[in-house]
Amino acid sequence: MSAMKRGRRLASLLLAASLGLGSLVGCQSESGKAAFVGDTTISEDRVSEVLDEVLAKTPTQEPEPAVSGSPAPEAELPVTRQEVVDLLVSVELARRVVKEKNMPPAKETTEPGEIADALKVAGDSEYTKLWAEWLDLQTVITENTPRAFLTDEGIMKVYGALAEAGAIQPGLPVAQVREQFGAAVFAEAAILVSTSLGAEVEKTDTKVNPKYDPVSAPMAVGTQQGPIFYDLPYISSDLVTDVSL
């Protein structure tokens, strides 16, 4: 794949990835467990396995030099434990949606190496491979789910997360948000995926260890300055109208 084609591919992936998801309902604290998605348990050991590997393979970013007289800033980790939990839970929910609805596999799969630079992590880490799968699952759900219509409260949840991340102008009224989202491919994709995963959260009675609550889906939106990564709440089914999930 040429560099130009690979760049276009990454841009489209980041656009498709700017989807709305969200915090888990309920919590369950059990020793050694990070989350429960239906009958699937995500253990603390599993979280550590993914996190430790990506940190070992990815150089730590050196912080900016401290101003004279100020304490030296700590090195910034490329991935946090919370981000690993967010990704593992979101991937498991999306896998279930695709399987239950017999959706076809992605027509074009994402290569981890294509997104490693954007994520600023090693391309051969499991974390990056999970991100690649996550992008493909979102694409499959978007392409195979009937169009969803959010209530005003629901659409403002999507908008609020994007505004907080600096991906869209803040302070807009709902009518203007609806007008802008109506012409945005990423916003419609956000609604489709977030409502599908939100319904799966309710169906499976997904739980999360309180120290990771709320869990959100890791998202990205492409901009001229590069991708903006942010966390977006799952959209509950009671915030959706005129949609068949």
Side-chain angles (χ1 to χ4, degrees):
M1 181 181 293
S2 68
M4 182 176 294
K5 185 175 181 180
R6 184 165 55 248
R8 289 198 300 267
R9 169 68 173 155
L10 177 57
S12 66
L13 288 171
L14 291 172
L15 182 64
S18 50
L19 316 175
L21 303 171
S23 59
L24 298 175
V25 179
C27 60
Q28 180 173 339
S29 181
E30 190 172 316
S31 178
K33 305 299 188 294
F36 302 83
V37 182
D39 58 358
T40 297
T41 299
I42 298 174
S43 68
E44 292 282 15
D45 286 345
R46 172 64 173 144
V47 177
S48 295
E49 179 183 74
V50 175
L51 179 62
D52 291 347
E53 186 212 24
V54 70
L55 292 181
K57 291 184 174 182
T58 305
T60 302
Q61 298 179 24
E62 293 299 326
E64 294 292 329
V67 178
S68 179
S70 301
E74 296 183 0
E76 182 179 350
L77 295 176
V79 180
T80 67
R81 193 172 187 86
Q82 180 70 51
E83 288 171 337
V84 173
V85 173
D86 289 349
L87 182 59
L88 288 171
V89 171
S90 297
V91 166
E92 179 60 30
L93 287 168
R95 286 172 178 167
R96 286 170 175 263
V97 170
V98 170
K99 182 177 181 180
E100 290 169 4
K101 297 184 180 297
N102 295 314
M103 295 178 177
K107 298 175 183 177
E108 184 179 358
T109 58
T110 305
E111 292 296 329
E114 296 178 24
I115 59 176
D117 286 346
L119 292 171
K120 298 181 180 179
V121 296
D124 62 346
S125 67
E126 185 177 6
Y127 179 79
T128 311
K129 294 174 183 176
L130 284 166
W131 248 101
E133 180 185 0
W134 170 229
L135 291 173
D136 291 343
L137 287 167
Q138 291 180 67
T139 299
V140 169
I141 292 173
T142 300
E143 293 177 347
N144 294 278
T145 302
R147 185 175 181 180
F149 296 88
L150 284 179
T151 63
D152 286 351
E153 182 182 356
I155 204 165
M156 292 307 283
K157 284 183 178 292
V158 177
Y159 165 71
L162 290 169
E164 184 176 352
I168 194 171
Q169 178 184 345
L172 299 179
V174 65
Q176 194 169 348
V177 171
R178 283 192 176 279
E179 181 180 353
Q180 290 200 9
F181 275 20
V185 174
F186 78 84
E188 183 168 342
I191 293 171
L192 293 175
V193 173
S194 63
T195 51
S196 294
L197 269 67
E200 194 66 21
V201 165
E202 297 168 349
K203 180 179 180 180
T204 60
D205 192 25
T206 296
K207 308 292 185 183
V208 64
N209 189 306
K211 67 181 179 181
Y212 300 121
D213 189 33
V215 168
S216 298
M219 295 291 125
V221 60
T223 70
Q224 292 182 343
Q225 292 73 37
I228 294 176
F229 292 92
Y230 63 100
D231 300 317
L232 198 57
Y234 300 103
I235 301 300
S236 173
S237 60
D238 62 0
L239 298 181
V240 183
T241 59
D242 301 323
V243 59
S244 174
L245 294 175

